[in-house]
Amino acid sequence: MTVGKYDMPSIYPTLYRPEKLLGFNQLNVANYSAGIHFYLDDYQFERVWKRPAYYIDKLKQFDCVLTPDFSLYRDMPLSMMIWNVYRSRLLGQMMQQLGLTVIPTVSWADKRSFDFCFDGLPSRSTLSISTIGVKKSSEANKMWQRGVLEMISRLHPKQLLIYGGEVDFIYPEDIDVICYENDNVKRLRGL
């Protein structure tokens, strides 16, 4: 099933809270009780798009999987942003159809991306966002906050998994917010 002007594949709602999230780049050494995230550089998981059946079969072993977070940049052509959102939704839909617990990743680039970046996502569900890169500039932080407010307005999440650490933002009280530290930074620091 697809929705919206750009026929984005849709993902069914789920309410789920993983205890731990590990990056896809740790797939071969990760603890199966963890959820797998894709908050990484795209080159580290582009192979999932090229061989979905192979990697989905590997991902079945884990607690849950967040949808791939293909990059959206403000200076990226709009068609590429739409394509990256489409790929994320399609892979998430395929994973759900094959029985995986899927938590949709929500990302945006700028106000233009609001026209399609929320299509195919469930409302009143668990969603995931990242704060990676948000703390580096006030402009990035403002755009992130605008996107979070737009996401909340459109999708009314019941639970929000935030990967990359906390930032100053006041979430509505009816949203269960769970923060996960960036496991790549922790690993590099030897924590």
Side-chain angles (χ1 to χ4, degrees), residues 39 69 104-108 117-118 121 127-130 151 155:
Y39 293 121
D69 184 42
T105 296
V106 189
S107 57
W108 51 89
C117 71
F118 305 111
L121 296 173
L127 300 172
S128 180
I129 59 176
S130 171
M151 175 197 59
L155 301 174

Side-chain angles (χ1 to χ4, degrees), residues 9-73:
S10 58
I11 299 174
Y12 294 110
T14 188
L15 284 174
Y16 194 76
R17 177 185 181 161
E19 288 298 314
K20 184 174 184 173
L21 292 175
L22 293 173
F24 176 79
N25 58 339
Q26 297 179 56
L27 191 68
N28 293 325
V29 296
N31 181 331
Y32 293 143
S33 67
I36 298 294
H37 72 78
F38 292 85
Y39 293 121
L40 308 162
D41 292 328
D42 292 14
Y43 78 87
Q44 295 190 58
F45 59 87
E46 184 70 34
R47 57 193 154 148
V48 178
W49 177 250
K50 293 177 180 174
R51 294 182 62 197
Y54 176 79
Y55 285 102
I56 291 172
D57 193 51
K58 286 186 168 289
L59 291 167
K60 282 181 182 178
Q61 303 172 76
F62 293 90
D63 181 48
C64 67
V65 63
L66 278 57
T67 58
D69 184 42
F70 292 105
S71 295
L72 302 180
Y73 299 111

Side-chain angles (χ1 to χ4, degrees), residues 78-120:
L78 194 61
S79 56
M80 288 180 69
M81 285 194 259
I82 294 166
W83 174 241
N84 279 348
V85 170
Y86 177 85
R87 295 192 304 159
S88 176
R89 299 293 184 278
L90 183 60
L91 287 170
Q93 187 182 68
M94 291 169 63
M95 291 176 197
Q96 273 190 332
Q97 290 172 347
L98 292 170
L100 281 74
T101 299
V102 174
I103 298 169
T105 296
V106 189
S107 57
W108 51 89
D110 54 26
K111 192 173 180 183
R112 297 177 306 152
S113 64
F114 293 174
D115 289 339
F116 55 86
C117 71
F118 305 111
D119 289 351

Side-chain angles (χ1 to χ4, degrees), residues 170-182:
I170 299 172
Y171 300 92
E173 289 184 21
D174 62 338
I175 299 175
D176 181 22
V177 176
I178 302 101
C179 292
Y180 299 86
E181 291 297 320
N182 184 334

